[in-house]
């Protein structure tokens, strides 16, 4: 492989065999052992065993103790869930700090079967039934095609020693119950049950690959990129049948889980939206707009009279000029003496109004946005240049009539939005 590998080693049969095989294959591995301090002296014995194993194999070892029960009592999840989070958080830290390229874990075919049955019992789709992937980003599972019995036979043949975890016999854990009670009965149904399961997994992965190719092609057709977001035509979405299945396949990678709410967006009023932890899906007229979640930006920025260039939150260039040149949405000329410094840059707020250049009377910003056919996300990101409480410029859109250059103007200020 030619890469630095971090091998998750509990001291149990599977990870110890993987450690031996990796070293014998001349892979550059470092053992990583988590002491979750859940079984007293037994946990400490596992740690000592892994340290000695590293000495025996002449490889490096990293060890980390955890107060797992404290995290469980703080409501961070079940023991198994907390342990998994702690384990992978530490692994990722090691990868960043010490330059490891991949994490090796010792998952095998029996683990895959147990995961399949757990997902099946909870209700799942094709992804859940496809089981544990051989590689998931930086995590590689080299033993996934081998059964627990094959690993055991190899360890016994090579006289490899390992530690047995007593908690693996505790039926209060769902995975243990499936491993100890359900899987043995399934294997009794057919002498080649495990091989048949592996073949089924192959078919499921192939089907999943076909679905993925179809969905990627569909996304290229449906998802129209507009800057930092996607616009998706709702009418085309509604033509897809079964629509719930398509919505899942199109949007699940963005973290959405409430599929009833997503489906309701197709017929909801404009402005309705659904959030995942990372993204928002907004109904805007005949489109759904998909964008990353952003923190509400209500900051205010001040621009002094001496400042000629502004970088944040929008790039502006300010110059005093002798005459009015060519104007556009991104270039304005105004009477500098009508301004009160410091100028203010802020987002629009409910109730804001201005006097649009070239028009009689004032207009609410919200009405101006509507006339401009701006969607909700564009409104949220719109910046205003203000002099005190008065709006000078809806940046990139329209100058305020009150600040225009006239016959009495002595100093002309040119402001350009760099795009």
């Amino acid at each position: 492989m030619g890469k630095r590998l971090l091998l998750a080693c509990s001291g149990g049969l599977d990870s110890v065999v993987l450690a031996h095989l990796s070293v014998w294959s001349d892979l550059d591995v470092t053992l990583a052992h988590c002491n979750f301090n859940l079984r007293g002296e037994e946990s400490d014995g596992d740690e000592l065993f892994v340290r000695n194993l590293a000495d025996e194999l002449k490889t490096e070892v990293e060890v980390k103790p955890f107060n797992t029960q404290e995290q469980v009592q703080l409501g961070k999840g079940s023991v198994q869930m907390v342990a998994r989070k702690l384990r992978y958080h530490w692994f990722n830290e090691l990868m960043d700090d010490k330059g490891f390229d991949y994490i090796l874990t010792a998952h095998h075919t029996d683990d895959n079967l147990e995961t399949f049955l757990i997902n099946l019992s909870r209700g799942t789709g094709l992804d859940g039934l496809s089981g544990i992937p051989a590689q998931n980003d930086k995590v590689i599972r080299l033993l996934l095609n081998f059964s627990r019995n094959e690993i055991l036979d190899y360890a016994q043949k090579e006289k490899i020693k390992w530690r047995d975890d007593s908690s693996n016999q505790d039926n209060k854990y769902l995975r243990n119950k499936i491993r100890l009670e359900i899987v043995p009965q399934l294997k009794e149904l057919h002498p080649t049950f495990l091989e048949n399961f592996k073949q089924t997994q192959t078919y499921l992965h192939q089907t999943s690959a076909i679905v993925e190719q179809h969905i990627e092609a569909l996304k290229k057709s449906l998802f129209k990129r507009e800057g930092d977001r996607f616009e998706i035509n709702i009418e085309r979405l509604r033509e897809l049948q079964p629509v719930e299945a398509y919505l899942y396949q199109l949007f699940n990678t963005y973290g959405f889980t409430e599929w009833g709410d997503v489906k309701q967006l197709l017929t909801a009023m404009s402005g309705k939206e659904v959030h995942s932890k990372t993204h928002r899906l907004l109904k805007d007229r005949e489109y759904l707009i998909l964008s990353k979640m952003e923190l509400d930006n209500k900051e205010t920025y001040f621009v002094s009279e001496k400042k000629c260039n502004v970088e944040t939150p929008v790039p502006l260039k300010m110059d005093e000029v002798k005459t009015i040149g060519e104007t556009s949405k991104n270039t304005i000329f105004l009477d500098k003496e009508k301004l009160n410094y410091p100028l203010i840059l802020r987002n629009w707020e409910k109730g804001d109004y201005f006097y649009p250049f070239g028009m009689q009377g004032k207009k609410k910003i919200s009405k101006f946005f509507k006339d401009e056919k701006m969607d909700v996300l564009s409104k949220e990101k719109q910046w205003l240049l203000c002099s005190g409480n008065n709006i000078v410029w809806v940046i990139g859109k329209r100058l305020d009539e009150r600040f225009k250059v006239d016959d009495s103007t002595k100093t002309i200020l040119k402001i350009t939005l760099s795009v």
Side-chain angles (χ1 to χ4, degrees), residues 252-268:
N252 79 90
T253 55
Y254 303 102
F256 294 98
T257 56
E258 301 299 328
W259 300 108
D261 293 343
V262 173
K263 183 182 178 183
Q264 286 179 8
L265 279 184
L266 303 184
T267 54

Side-chain angles (χ1 to χ4, degrees), residues 151-172:
I151 295 170
L152 176 61
D153 289 344
Y154 178 82
Q156 291 174 336
K157 178 182 176 182
E158 297 296 328
K159 295 181 172 53
I160 293 174
K161 296 180 181 179
W162 67 90
R163 296 270 295 180
D164 286 319
D165 184 342
S166 61
S167 66
N168 287 335
Q169 303 301 314
D170 191 341
N171 277 10
K172 72 178 181 181

Side-chain angles (χ1 to χ4, degrees), residues 87-346:
R87 176 167 62 246
Y88 279 100
H89 179 74
W90 178 51
F91 289 166
N92 288 324
E93 282 185 343
L94 286 174
M95 291 185 72
D96 292 338
D97 295 342
K98 301 198 174 184
F100 291 102
D101 297 293
Y102 294 97
I103 301 168
L104 301 185
T105 69
H107 293 93
H108 46 69
T109 301
D110 289 75
D111 291 321
N112 210 359
L113 174 59
E114 292 159 13
T115 299
F116 173 92
L117 293 172
I118 289 172
N119 291 340
L120 182 65
S121 69
R122 292 171 175 168
T124 187
L126 185 58
D127 290 343
L129 295 179
S130 297
I132 305 171
Q135 181 171 352
N136 183 15
D137 193 19
K138 296 293 185 179
V139 180
I140 301 176
R141 303 171 177 95
L142 297 177
L143 300 183
L144 204 57
N145 285 327
F146 297 94
S147 70
R148 180 177 283 114
N149 281 339
E150 287 174 322
I151 295 170
L152 176 61
D153 289 344
Y154 178 82
Q156 291 174 336
K157 178 182 176 182
E158 297 296 328
K159 295 181 172 53
I160 293 174
K161 296 180 181 179
W162 67 90
R163 296 270 295 180
D164 286 319
D165 184 342
S166 61
S167 66
N168 287 335
Q169 303 301 314
D170 191 341
N171 277 10
K172 72 178 181 181
Y173 299 118
L174 177 60
R175 182 175 291 274
N176 288 353
K177 193 173 186 66
I178 288 173
R179 177 187 302 137
L180 299 173
E181 298 180 10
I182 297 176
V183 170
Q185 294 185 47
L186 291 174
K187 289 180 178 179
E188 286 181 8
L189 295 176
H190 200 285
T192 59
F193 178 85
L194 207 55
E195 287 301 315
N196 296 342
F197 168 73
K198 287 169 64 175
Q199 188 61 59
T200 299
Q201 288 280 286
T202 299
Y203 296 148
L204 288 171
H205 281 291
Q206 292 171 348
T207 302
S208 182
I210 293 172
V211 170
E212 186 175 336
Q213 290 174 13
H214 172 60
I215 293 300
E216 285 305 310
L218 195 57
K219 278 186 177 180
K220 288 182 180 179
S221 172
L222 282 174
F223 286 47
K224 181 182 178 183
R225 180 175 284 281
E226 294 290 343
D228 57 356
R229 64 182 188 248
F230 291 102
E231 292 184 355
I232 306 108
N233 185 278
I234 291 174
E235 194 56 41
R236 290 191 62 191
L237 281 179
R238 295 174 68 177
E239 291 172 357
L240 300 173
Q241 296 297 327
V243 67
E244 292 90 346
Y246 273 103
L247 290 177
Y248 170 79
Q249 293 294 338
L250 289 169
F251 295 108
N252 79 90
T253 55
Y254 303 102
F256 294 98
T257 56
E258 301 299 328
W259 300 108
D261 293 343
V262 173
K263 183 182 178 183
Q264 286 179 8
L265 279 184
L266 303 184
T267 54
M269 296 177 62
S270 287
K272 295 291 185 181
E273 56 186 78
V274 175
H275 294 176
S276 72
K277 290 183 178 180
T278 57
H279 288 75
R280 67 192 296 194
L281 199 55
L282 167 73
K283 170 72 176 292
D284 187 68
R285 301 179 180 87
E286 68 269 25
Y287 291 95
L288 292 185
I289 299 177
L290 176 68
S291 63
K292 288 185 177 180
M293 291 287 289
E294 296 180 3
L295 296 175
D296 291 337
N297 191 349
K298 298 300 182 185
E299 290 188 78
T300 300
Y301 299 83
F302 296 93
V303 182
S304 69
E305 187 172 0
K306 295 180 180 180
K307 203 165 185 68
C308 297
N309 293 290
V310 176
E311 298 296 333
T312 304
V314 285
L316 299 176
K317 183 179 181 183
M318 301 184 180
D319 300 295
E320 289 186 14
V321 295
K322 298 293 185 181
T323 59
I324 296 177
E326 184 177 349
T327 62
S328 68
K329 287 186 176 181
N330 294 328
T331 302
I332 62 169
F333 296 84
L334 46 82
D335 189 331
K336 185 176 180 179
E337 293 182 354
K338 295 176 181 177
L339 301 174
N340 292 317
Y341 284 91
L343 301 180
I344 299 169
L345 284 165
R346 64 172 175 83

